[in-house]
Amino acid sequence: MKIDTTKLTIADARKHLDAGDFTAVELAQACLDVIKEKDDPPTGGIKAFLEVFDDVLEQAAHADKMIRAGKSQALTGIPIALKDNMLMKGKRATAGSKILEGYVAPYDSTLVAKLKAQSAVIVGRTNMDEFAMGSSTENSAYGPTANPIDTTRVPGGSSGGSAAAVLMGAVLGSFGSDTGGSIRQPAALCGIVGLKPTYGSVSRHGLMALGSSLDIIGPFAKNVEDAQILFDATKGKDPLDSTTVDESSHTPTQKEPKRIGVPRTFLNANTLADDVRANFDASLTKLEELGYELVDIELPNVHYSVPTYYVVLPAEASSNLARFDGMRFGLHEDGEGLLGDYLKTRGHGFGPEPRRRIMIGTYVLSSGYYDAYYNRANAVRRAITNDFTKAFELCDVIVMPTTAGPAFKIGEKVNDPVAMYLEDIFTVSSNLTGMPAISIPSGTVARDGVDLPLGLQIIAPHMGEESIFDVGKKFLGEK
Amino acid sequence: MTPEEIDHLAKLARMELTESEKASLVGDMHNILGFIDAIKEADVEMNADARTGAVSNVFRDDDPPAGGPHEGGIHTDALLAAAPVSESGFLKVKKIL
């Protein structure tokens, strides 16, 4: 059976694998062929992958054994890619940075342990903005990744490689991390589904930390059903990550979502291009036609989300990145004395965006500024969270555009940090609140004669993923 | 933001900056700090309880089986394999004091 990995879903692959229509080895080979042709040809290429693992077919052969023995699980034999900040024992992981060039992970992240327990086929590690700082994958120390739809444009970031890998059919599903929008924004720019789960619902053990109160691992997939399969396989309380929560610790959200909250004041305050606004309005009309009730909601402090995030995130990042000191792992450069070793190792190992954010983080946490910035930002964060909690008394899910526009050109924003930060305007609030949010494809707008995708974002209360999947599937016409 | 403040922060961050970088950082930091200053206008309650979502403090026992240290030395080789400089089962660093 001919395998078209650009169209094959995880759910369908499961059926075909179990029915013996094709083997996991054949499926893995089809993925490797796509990578050879589209990702890493002699010239050009998408460059979504930093490394394709050398044991892919071996993993697939093992999966075939499980399938033949009647022991297949949801992800057995399914080709998956991991963002370069997720540890897999014996494999390299660099977080897109030179300071970790050559680093080999000594243990499996919980995510990888769960994927291995199902005999998924982990194809390789994907490109990302350095230390997950960025919205375009242009900040990778290993070069940018192109958007498969228009290779002069970015795939989004920081999980751009994982998004591009799914879009081009190099894998059937992938994982990214979302700290300020780094799964949802690339999903929108690539026209696929990207889920940021509830903070604490997926273990961060073995995910290189960026902003520990903001980070979460989540899936990229072609449709909502596949995203749900990937989420279900990887969620759960983990004794190795004390910030993980039990599903049972929450009162369940309403069984069937009916009311959709629209933050009109917030939307009207942001300049969206006419066609982007029209695309979002068309999504609202579609939701009404599907039988949902649209409710206007207010989020009085949400416009402080991006400035608040850019206090909290750099503060936490500067603290988390302090471990890269050249003593225990990664790049080591000699300087004068121990202090000199630190200054040179970190001075030469970090790229421009980590340096900027480490400096901002150091500033907002330093004596004399801690109260005015970090403490105040946390207070604003609580206010934003309260706004969303109150809004969810009036509706079951909230919708917004995922981004203010489609994929921009490579090089367009990379020299303007604040312009890049504003890419996150609709996404950061869900990291500040910890609430789950998904981006699903909502159609396209034309730029320079190319149709570029946009995303609709659906946000739910904590542990409300079921509501998100419900609305998302209906919107995309999935069974 | 003055060049002296940049030097002070870079030293706190244990990160050596190039001269041209310091110059452009003055501009970048000015723009970014100007941007984040918006939070000063927010009308918010300063001393409430800090949380993200439903997380709450988690403790485990100090002693086995739930807690306590693992058998000494079982991870040493794997971890030291990544160390830039090591000797006789120790990380080797320059003089600290």
Side-chain angles (χ1 to χ4, degrees), chain A residues 24-25 53-64 77 88 91 116 119-124:
Chain A
V25 169
F53 297 142
D54 55 13
D55 61 349
V56 172
L57 295 177
E58 210 178 292
Q59 293 180 52
H62 174 77
D64 275 329
M88 182 164 167
K91 304 288 190 216
K116 280 183 176 177
S119 302
V121 176
I122 303 174
V123 172

Side-chain angles (χ1 to χ4, degrees), chain B residues 27-96:
Chain B
D28 277 347
M29 302 257 315
H30 178 81
N31 290 336
I32 296 170
L33 291 173
F35 176 66
I36 65 182
D37 265 349
I39 63 168
K40 294 185 171 154
E41 300 154 24
D43 179 17
V44 291
E45 195 193 321
M46 281 300 289
N47 293 311
D49 182 25
R51 291 181 171 203
T52 300
V55 293
S56 55
N57 231 353
V58 173
F59 294 103
R60 62 170 167 77
D61 288 339
D62 287 340
D63 299 318
H70 59 65
E71 190 194 317
I74 57 177
H75 299 305
T76 306
D77 288 341
L79 294 175
L80 281 185
V85 190
S86 62
E87 194 178 289
S88 312
F90 291 92
L91 289 174
K92 193 168 166 184
V93 303
K94 291 194 178 132
K95 193 170 74 165
I96 295 169

Side-chain angles (χ1 to χ4, degrees), chain A residues 300-322:
Chain A
N301 295 290
V302 76
H303 60 289
Y304 293 118
S305 295
V306 185
T308 300
Y309 176 82
Y310 279 100
V311 173
V312 175
L313 186 283
E316 294 187 5
S318 68
S319 180
N320 278 324
L321 267 54

